[in-house]
């Protein structure tokens, strides 16, 4: 199976599955549903699988997730990185944007 993302103003609005029997999946999607379609890959190293709301990076033929926090920056692989590296697990941590630091989850 192949996966295609519909792109409207560089934003993913839909992701669908197309049979491998279809030679040009992007054109098939355009003919059937209209709009612009780009193939996305689940398991290709260095590429992000498209999700609704992701931005399409046409230069790198990749998809960028919405920015999780204002302080995070986009790296050269189109991955968001925190300003402070996450500590190795365990323990479980979460990003606190107010303090710009990783915090431990409260233990029950």
């Amino acid at each position: 199976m192949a996966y295609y993302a519909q792109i409207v103003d560089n934003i993913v609005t839909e992701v669908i599955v197309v049979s491998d029997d279809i030679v040009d999946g992007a054109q098939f999607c355009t003919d059937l549903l209209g709009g612009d379609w780009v193939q996305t890959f689940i398991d290709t190293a260095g590429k992000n699988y498209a999700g609704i709301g992701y931005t399409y990076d046409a230069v790198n033929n990749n998809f960028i997730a919405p920015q999780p926090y204002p302080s995070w920056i986009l790296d050269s692989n189109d991955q968001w990185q925190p300003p402070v590296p996450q500590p190795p697990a365990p323990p479980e941590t979460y990003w606190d944007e107010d303090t710009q630091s990783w915090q431990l989850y409260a233990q029950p």
Side-chain angles (χ1 to χ4, degrees):
M1 302 310 256
Y3 305 89
Y4 291 85
Q6 184 176 40
I7 309 299
V8 176
D9 296 327
N10 285 335
I11 303 297
V12 176
T13 59
E14 187 173 3
V15 179
I16 64 172
V17 179
V18 175
S19 171
D20 287 332
D21 296 337
I22 304 298
V23 175
D24 185 345
Q27 188 62 54
F28 171 81
C29 293
T30 298
D31 293 345
L32 184 66
L33 302 168
D36 295 321
W37 294 82
V38 176
Q39 189 168 9
T40 183
F41 302 92
I42 290 179
D43 57 359
T44 299
K47 298 291 181 185
N48 301 320
Y49 181 72
I52 293 173
Y54 281 41
T55 301
Y56 178 58
D57 174 1
V59 171
N60 295 313
N61 189 28
N62 203 3
F63 297 90
I64 303 169
Q67 187 175 15
Y69 299 98
S71 64
W72 289 33
I73 57 171
L74 197 62
D75 69 14
S76 62
N77 295 317
D78 289 330
Q79 297 285 324
W80 293 106
Q81 299 299 327
V84 176
Q86 185 173 14
E92 295 295 320
T93 59
Y94 67 94
W95 179 253
D96 182 336
E97 184 69 6
D98 291 335
T99 64
Q100 300 277 297
S101 64
W102 293 98
Q103 302 294 315
L104 293 174
Y105 279 108
Q107 297 297 319

